[in-house]
Amino acid sequence: MLLEGRVALVTGGAAGIGAMTARTFAREGACVVVADVDEARGSALAADLEAGGGRAFFQRLDVTDAEEVDRAVAASLSRFGSLDVLVNNAGIVADARLVKLTPEQWQRVIDVNLKGVFLCGQAAARAMIGGGRGGVILNASSVVGLYGNFGQTNYVATKAGVIGMTRSWARELGRHGIRVNAVAPGFIATEILREMPEKVLAGMRERTPLGRLGEPRDVANAYLYLASDLASFVTGAVLSVDGGLVI
């Protein structure tokens, strides 16, 4: 039980990597706040975790709304008494080549993937400092944030920005016993990816040295390691979970 007695808030927790992270953390003893804009799926997941013997609840959260972010953190403190782990997982894409990228597409992705990470990280850091027992902040980056990608100017900018924020926060918050790390997934077989044509998926597998797509559990297990005391001397790191894609 690597997270026994910890309280974890997972943004974008209703589906995909977020949902698998919530399940993994609950299995390892954490009290889990499933935070998402998808109320139906988020509530169902939280109920399922509780039915399985875990402690969880759903909190509606639009990460671009500072007031909702503050309410989510306050709800975590009220319900479970602390906030020990934040998984900044919520994110979106709105892909287009540079010459066709609209200001609206740019701003929408910036708001969720960058501003949202900032707002949640700031609120969680304040709560963790106030609690006096340290904590862990984990940010979702991507391999494209390290190496760029065709047609994803907005997404790449946010994921590179997340890495910069992660390293800055690690420097600032270490004195408070708060570790901050990022995870950079490669091609992960989430629902969105599985809807792509088989030819595209085959190309992704071909480009990955391990010869397969990642599974949400691969990323969830990386979050688990970084959230646990196994990584007690790890901060400011970017852990690539990509099957060797970047080699």
Side-chain angles (χ1 to χ4, degrees):
M1 303 289 277
L2 292 174
L3 300 180
E4 185 71 42
R6 313 285 173 86
V7 177
L9 190 156
V10 182
T11 73
I17 292 170
M20 181 57 70
T21 300
R23 291 186 181 280
T24 300
F25 280 23
R27 185 190 70 223
E28 292 294 333
C31 302
V32 179
V33 182
V34 179
D36 205 294
V37 292
D38 190 333
E39 299 186 31
R41 297 181 73 175
S43 295
L45 174 59
D48 190 42
L49 295 179
E50 290 231 305
R55 296 184 64 197
F57 74 93
F58 170 74
Q59 177 70 33
R60 189 194 184 282
L61 175 59
D62 174 354
V63 297
T64 70
D65 185 323
E67 290 186 359
E68 286 202 17
V69 170
D70 288 341
R71 279 198 295 271
V73 170
S76 304
L77 299 176
S78 175
R79 184 75 169 264
F80 294 134
S82 68
L83 178 59
D84 303 294
V85 182
L86 167 68
V87 182
N88 254 325
N89 172 75
I92 63 169
V93 296
D95 296 347
R97 287 178 295 164
L98 174 61
V99 295
K100 294 189 175 182
L101 183 66
T102 67
E104 292 74 24
Q105 287 174 307
W106 165 267
Q107 195 60 52
R108 189 160 72 251
V109 173
I110 293 292
D111 283 346
V112 175
N113 296 7
L114 200 58
K115 178 185 175 184
V117 169
F118 158 69
L119 290 175
C120 293
Q122 183 183 63
R126 288 171 174 166
M128 290 172 184
I129 292 170
R133 56 189 246 175
V136 179
I137 297 174
L138 302 175
N139 296 326
S141 183
S142 167
V143 291
V144 306
L146 293 166
Y147 300 99
N149 198 30
F150 185 95
Q152 289 195 309
T153 293
N154 48 2
Y155 187 74
V156 169
T158 62
K159 295 306 182 180
V162 163
I163 290 172
M165 286 198 295
T166 297
R167 289 171 172 159
S168 295
W169 296 355
R171 288 180 179 271
E172 289 185 22
L173 300 175
R175 71 192 68 184
H176 300 289
I178 300 170
R179 296 186 294 105
V180 188
N181 293 291
V183 171
F187 298 133
I188 307 299
T190 58
E191 295 170 6
I192 295 174
L193 207 65
R194 291 185 190 279
E195 292 172 1
M196 292 184 176
E198 176 54 36
K199 183 178 179 180
V200 175
L201 296 177
M204 291 178 177
R205 286 191 288 266
E206 219 171 89
R207 290 171 57 192
T208 304
L210 287 183
R212 69 172 177 88
L213 300 177
E215 295 293 334
R217 68 173 178 271
D218 295 317
V219 183
N221 285 335
Y223 282 139
L224 173 63
Y225 161 69
L226 291 171
S228 76
D229 290 340
L230 295 176
S232 63
F233 201 56
V234 179
T235 194
V238 181
L239 177 58
S240 292
V241 184
D242 60 11
L245 181 67
V246 300
I247 297 172

